[in-house]
Amino acid sequence: MLSRTTRVADELLYPRADETAREGVPRDHLDALAAAGALGLATRAPALLRQATEIISAADGATWFVYAQHHQPVRAVAGSPNQALRDRWLTPLLTGRALSGHAISHLARPGPPVVTATPGAGGGWALNGRIAWLTGWGLADVVLVGALAPDDRVLFALLPAEDLDSPRAAVHRHTLWSMHATHAVAVDLNDVPVGRDQVVSMTRHADWLRAHLNHNANTHPAVFGCLRATSRFLERYETFKAWSDSAKLRAEQLRSRAYGLIDTRPPGEAIDDRLATRAAAVDLALRTAAACVAAAGAGSMCSDTTAARLMAEASFHLVHSQTPQAKDAYARLAGALGGSPC
């Protein structure tokens, strides 16, 4: 599977990455990854998904991010007590016959809930509010939506994408300077119905939030994919060879530390170490992407160049899965590196 995924990355994704950043991620990229077996990794060994993530994100950051949206819904469906829903969707999702996205990050926002679930007749629900971010619009067949229900519970529902493009919903396309190719939208929900057969699970909000914060203290494997991409770019320039070699060594040290924490420590432990490693890896990606801009010279100021794309992709990791704790870790690292604005 990893060999087939590498072939897709090298022969399809990487040669078209700059074009994809301009034109948008096409469905055939995801179909090729599905044929390679890469869409069925959510229920397999985490190390396999990490490796595939690095391979894909090193080739094309935008395709990686659409690909990444698929795994959370697959895990949710695989673990759902709703047998009918598992029978209907799990095999299509694992094989890539159905592509999924998810809209759950709003559940981590402080303050009043932005998406709510109100009980309805027959065990159904009605969704109201605004999904601020949904990636893969027009590509995903189904979407995992999280909504705050009464009694501090979270409802997770798997909805066909057309249910979010109906008279009860309004879709607004985002204009982004980084990852615009990922088809990101906001969706306003007005009593969008959820049937019992669409309910994936219910959980306590506090339990979900704790798990969410613990998970996102870790360094995402895509950061190391981004570092592979920047190092590969710098290898074209003899004057930046020393920088590239140093960055690759430092990236491997951070990778070993990040994955060691994930594999050997329980999720709630060593949070400060996880956050510090995440901040250091993202900082390295940003500085190495900046070196790509410097190496390419004035031409890199054109938005359709590889160096510009790599700078945008590295910057994206500052906000991807960002939590208040991660933001604090970035601030601490900036201060330690002499990043005071004064």
Side-chain angles (χ1 to χ4, degrees), residues 10-272:
D10 290 345
E11 298 178 3
L12 177 64
L13 306 185
Y14 176 65
R16 295 170 57 178
D18 292 345
E19 176 188 351
T20 298
R22 294 191 303 270
E23 305 297 332
V25 177
R27 179 65 185 249
D28 71 300
H29 283 193
L30 287 308
D31 291 341
L33 291 170
L39 290 186
L41 296 179
T43 59
R44 299 180 66 183
L48 274 176
L49 180 55
R50 288 201 301 248
Q51 292 179 74
T53 294
E54 288 191 28
I55 291 166
I56 296 165
S57 58
D60 175 4
T63 295
W64 154 70
F65 194 54
V66 174
Y67 164 81
Q69 306 306 299
H70 184 74
H71 303 296
Q72 179 67 26
V74 175
R75 279 189 289 266
V77 170
S80 174
N82 187 335
Q83 182 67 48
L85 181 130
R86 291 204 312 273
D87 290 345
R88 168 70 180 86
W89 287 110
L90 185 55
T91 297
L93 289 171
L94 287 172
T95 58
R97 294 203 306 272
L99 182 67
S100 58
H102 67 259
I104 61 176
S105 61
H106 50 266
L107 297 172
R109 290 187 174 186
V114 295
V115 179
T116 60
T118 305
W125 299 81
L127 303 183
N128 286 278
R130 165 167 276 215
I131 295 171
W133 293 98
L134 172 58
T135 297
W137 184 253
L139 298 175
D141 301 296
V142 290
V143 179
L144 180 71
V145 179
L148 199 66
D151 302 324
D152 194 43
R153 296 176 299 161
V154 176
L155 167 77
F156 291 102
L158 192 73
L159 302 180
E162 56 261 30
D163 286 9
L164 301 179
D165 190 17
S166 69
R168 294 183 179 274
V171 177
H172 311 278
R173 181 73 183 265
H174 287 301
T175 301
L176 308 176
W177 66 267
S178 176
M179 296 295 192
H180 182 69
T182 60
H183 310 280
V185 299
V187 185
D188 292 321
L189 308 174
N190 182 22
D191 284 333
V192 171
V194 175
R196 291 180 61 183
D197 61 335
Q198 297 173 313
V199 174
V200 178
S201 63
M202 297 282 295
T203 189
R204 291 181 63 246
H205 185 219
D207 293 340
W208 178 87
L209 184 59
R210 184 183 309 110
H212 174 81
L213 294 175
N214 286 342
H215 175 74
N216 286 310
N218 295 308
T219 310
H220 198 286
V223 178
F224 298 115
C226 182
L227 281 162
R228 286 194 198 184
T230 53
S231 293
R232 176 169 54 190
F233 184 87
L234 288 176
E235 287 171 355
R236 307 175 188 178
Y237 301 90
E238 182 63 31
T239 53
F240 281 83
K241 186 179 185 306
W243 176 289
S244 177
D245 291 344
S246 176
K248 283 190 282 190
L249 177 61
R250 179 60 174 154
E252 190 52 44
Q253 293 169 343
L254 290 169
R255 184 178 184 271
S256 177
R257 184 193 304 172
Y259 293 169
L261 287 166
I262 294 170
D263 292 338
T264 65
R265 304 291 293 274
E269 290 186 4
I271 294 298
D272 287 345

Side-chain angles (χ1 to χ4, degrees), residues 317-339:
H317 290 293
L318 283 168
V319 298
H320 174 226
S321 300
Q322 190 188 77
T323 64
Q325 294 82 356
K327 190 180 294 188
D328 289 345
Y330 295 146
R332 287 194 296 272
L333 178 62
L337 294 175

Side-chain angles (χ1 to χ4, degrees), residues 297-316:
S300 63
M301 293 297 97
C302 296
S303 60
D304 60 350
T305 60
T306 302
R309 173 176 61 82
L310 293 174
M311 190 74 237
E313 290 178 6
S315 299
F316 173 76

